[in-house]
Amino acid sequence: MTGLWWSMLAVSIVVIVFVTVMGGWGIVKGRRRREEDIERNVPWGDRFILISGIGVTGAILVAFFLVSLRAMSTLARARPSNLEITITGHDWWWEARYPNGAVTANEIHIPAGERVHVDLRSADVIHSLWVPELAPKIDLIPGRANEMWIQADHPGQYRGQCAEYCGLQHAHMIFFVVADTPADFQTWMKDMAAPAPDPSTALAVQGQQVFLSNTCIGCHAIRGTPAAGQLGPDLTHMATRSTIGAGTVPLSPQTLEQWILAPDQIKPGVTMPPTALTGEQVRALVAYLLTLGFEQPS
Ligand code: CUA
């Protein structure tokens, strides 16, 4: 495809230079020649127009048409991908589900160098998935499934953004596509599908109790515990993510505490309600949530 584009550019440059030179030449020399040609009745101009204007132009267009047809048939025979991810847009965050049961939010890992098939859905209004470095924008539309391919040629982190106005926090509907080496990706997907690690400190155990006995479980799931809410992001391995609120603030004990107590102050309009917890309960809850990483192999 790139070859076709460059050859079109090269031919266009040649044509533009040729036409410009001929035009300039015509302006400078044309007037004087015309008188002589008319007198001598030399039809050189007609032949020149026939050959270059119709013959050469036609040949170039037909040649590019044929080459484009070949490129189109190559594109139509899109290679099947080994991985299919479902991405759902929510007001105002992104959910990604993997075939092995892994669920995450706002940090979408893919294997570098591989074509990934993405199913796009919306839980509420129209959003648009846009990762400028990887793929064109495509809408996520309520009630219908869209699809696209993405591929990152090199490992790295690629910033993405909702590109369809979807309400108050449209601008804070940020996500990252993280391209890992294929081996790292397989490890990540396996770890992400695993249930949450059990809390190991007294404070974290207390925090888990706070989580399970409050309204948190109405919206959030932590796999491996009774919490199975589906309205908000899955928190099973939330400590592996780098931001809160879909890229709104970096994840830290302080921001997490603020977020739990008054999410609306960080992200006005956010669906998550404020939480009435004592300072001690919040500290325990934060301690627990920050243990939700990946279990280290022992
Ligand atoms: Cu979602 Cu804008």
Side-chain angles (χ1 to χ4, degrees):
M1 305 314 124
T2 322
L4 175 62
W5 189 88
W6 282 110
S7 59
M8 280 180 167
L9 180 71
V11 171
S12 309
I13 289 172
V14 170
V15 169
I16 286 170
V17 168
F18 178 74
V19 169
T20 309
V21 167
M22 291 308 289
W25 189 63
I27 289 166
V28 175
K29 302 270 188 181
R31 209 162 294 155
R32 200 169 30 137
R33 281 289 276 283
R34 195 178 53 197
E35 306 279 312
E36 296 164 10
D37 291 342
I38 290 170
E39 272 170 34
R40 290 196 224 132
N41 197 21
V42 178
W44 70 273
D46 294 353
R47 216 180 305 139
F48 174 76
I49 287 168
L50 268 180
I51 293 171
S52 66
I54 298 175
V56 176
T57 308
I60 290 174
L61 290 178
V62 168
F64 275 134
F65 177 64
L66 294 176
V67 180
S68 303
L69 280 184
R70 207 183 56 187
M72 281 159 70
S73 82
T74 310
L75 284 176
R77 282 195 311 270
R79 280 172 289 135
S81 90
N82 295 325
L83 178 67
E84 181 163 328
I85 305 178
T86 302
I87 297 180
T88 306
H90 297 258
D91 270 344
W92 292 279
W93 57 283
W94 306 86
E95 175 184 286
R97 291 182 177 270
Y98 293 76
N100 70 341
V103 188
T104 188
N106 310 321
E107 282 177 31
I108 301 166
H109 285 243
I110 60 169
E114 287 180 25
R115 190 191 278 254
V116 178
H117 184 228
V118 184
D119 257 329
L120 301 151
R121 286 143 201 277
S122 170
D124 34 50
V125 298
I126 300 178
H127 303 277
S128 183
L129 185 104
W130 190 31
V131 197
E133 287 177 278
L134 299 183
K137 295 172 193 170
I138 185 160
D139 282 1
L140 300 88
I141 301 165
R144 62 170 283 185
N146 252 346
E147 54 180 331
M148 75 184 302
W149 303 94
I150 52 170
Q151 178 169 343
D153 291 332
H154 307 287
Q157 181 164 296
Y158 304 86
R159 192 184 187 281
Q161 170 71 42
C162 180
E164 174 77 35
Y165 182 71
C166 54
L168 202 54
Q169 291 294 333
H170 156 69
H172 284 143
M173 193 164 163
I174 297 159
F175 64 102
F176 296 95
V177 171
V178 182
D180 301 315
T181 64
D184 285 353
F185 172 75
Q186 288 305 330
T187 309
W188 177 87
M189 190 164 68
K190 195 167 126 275
D191 288 344
M192 198 41 106
D198 286 328
S200 54
T201 66
L203 190 63
V205 171
Q206 191 195 333
Q208 190 186 44
Q209 282 312 310
V210 172
F211 189 90
L212 295 177
S213 57
N214 278 283
T215 48
C216 318
I217 54 170
C219 297
H220 294 286
I222 297 181
R223 283 168 281 132
T225 76
Q230 294 294 317
L231 293 175
D234 182 295
L235 301 180
T236 309
H237 298 291
M238 67 147 282
T240 64
R241 303 200 276 262
S242 57
T243 71
I244 312 176
T248 306
V249 285
L251 173 64
S252 74
Q254 292 75 32
T255 55
L256 188 53
E257 189 173 323
Q258 289 167 8
W259 180 265
I260 291 167
L261 288 173
D264 204 58
Q265 283 179 13
I266 295 178
K267 196 168 180 175
V270 69
T271 327
M272 177 167 160
T275 322
L277 294 174
T278 66
E280 193 195 351
Q281 285 176 315
V282 174
R283 274 190 299 282
L285 181 55
V286 167
Y288 168 58
L289 292 174
L290 291 177
T291 65
L292 298 177
F294 291 147
E295 207 128 33
Q296 296 308 314
S298 48

